[in-house]
């Protein structure tokens, strides 16, 4: 069984930065998990933000590419999402998800494990 807990959300002004963390508790080896960040704004579908493969390779949605950086620390069993140049459009509940596969996927239904989410609000 895998459990994920996000933290780091909050209120930030447009153009500012914020860093999110996702601590993963797993019975298996954390390194073998592919982890991704998703977000969901009110009235919108949950969308893929960024993902990181078990190898460390990362992927990003076009909307955050160049502004967000995903990374992982296998010793701490934690995945991070560093967000810069934040925009009001980035306001959403951010959740991390994991699956025991080699690579990430941009589809929520492909992920078996989910965190509870953390709110990120960007003011204009």
């Amino acid at each position: 069984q895998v459990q994920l807990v996000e933290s780091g959300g909050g209120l930030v002004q447009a153009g500012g930065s914020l860093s999110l963390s996702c601590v993963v508790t797993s019975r298996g080896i954390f390194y073998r998990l592919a982890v991704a960040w998703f977000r969901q704004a009110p009235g919108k579908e949950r969308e893929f933000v960024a993902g990181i493969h078990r190898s460390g390779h990362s992927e990003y949605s076009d909307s955050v590419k160049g502004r967000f950086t995903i990374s992982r620390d296998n010793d701490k069993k934690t995945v991070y999402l560093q967000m810069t140049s934040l925009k009001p459009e980035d306001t959403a509940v951010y959740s991390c998800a994991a699956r025991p596969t080699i690579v990430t996927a941009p589809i929520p239904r492909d992920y078996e494990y989910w965190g509870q989410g953390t709110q990120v609000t960007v003011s204009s």
Side-chain angles (χ1 to χ4, degrees):
Q1 185 176 358
V2 178
Q3 294 182 349
L4 305 92
V5 180
E6 305 96 333
S7 64
L11 175 65
V12 63
Q13 293 184 354
S17 302
L18 204 62
S19 182
L20 306 181
S21 298
C22 174
V23 178
V24 181
T25 299
S26 64
R27 296 178 61 188
I29 302 176
F30 172 74
Y31 172 82
R32 296 180 177 178
L33 292 173
V35 183
W37 285 94
F38 289 83
R39 67 185 182 186
Q40 185 170 24
K44 299 182 65 177
E45 293 290 319
R46 184 162 52 190
E47 65 173 344
F48 173 80
V49 176
I52 187 164
H53 301 178
R54 52 193 284 184
S55 67
H57 175 73
S58 59
E59 298 176 344
Y60 301 90
S61 67
D62 291 336
S63 63
V64 306
K65 192 174 300 181
R67 299 188 298 120
F68 292 9
T69 301
I70 188 171
S71 61
R72 64 190 293 164
D73 186 326
N74 292 330
D75 290 333
K76 295 182 178 180
K77 295 185 177 181
T78 302
V79 174
Y80 305 94
L81 183 67
Q82 294 178 303
M83 305 180 291
T84 62
S85 300
L86 285 164
K87 307 174 182 179
E89 304 93 277
D90 294 320
T91 295
V93 173
Y94 285 70
S95 301
C96 60
R99 65 176 192 167
T101 58
I102 298 176
V103 300
T104 58
I107 306 174
R109 67 180 181 182
D110 287 344
Y111 291 82
E112 183 176 0
Y113 308 105
W114 290 85
Q116 62 184 25
T118 183
Q119 178 70 47
V120 172
T121 302
V122 184
S123 62
S124 60

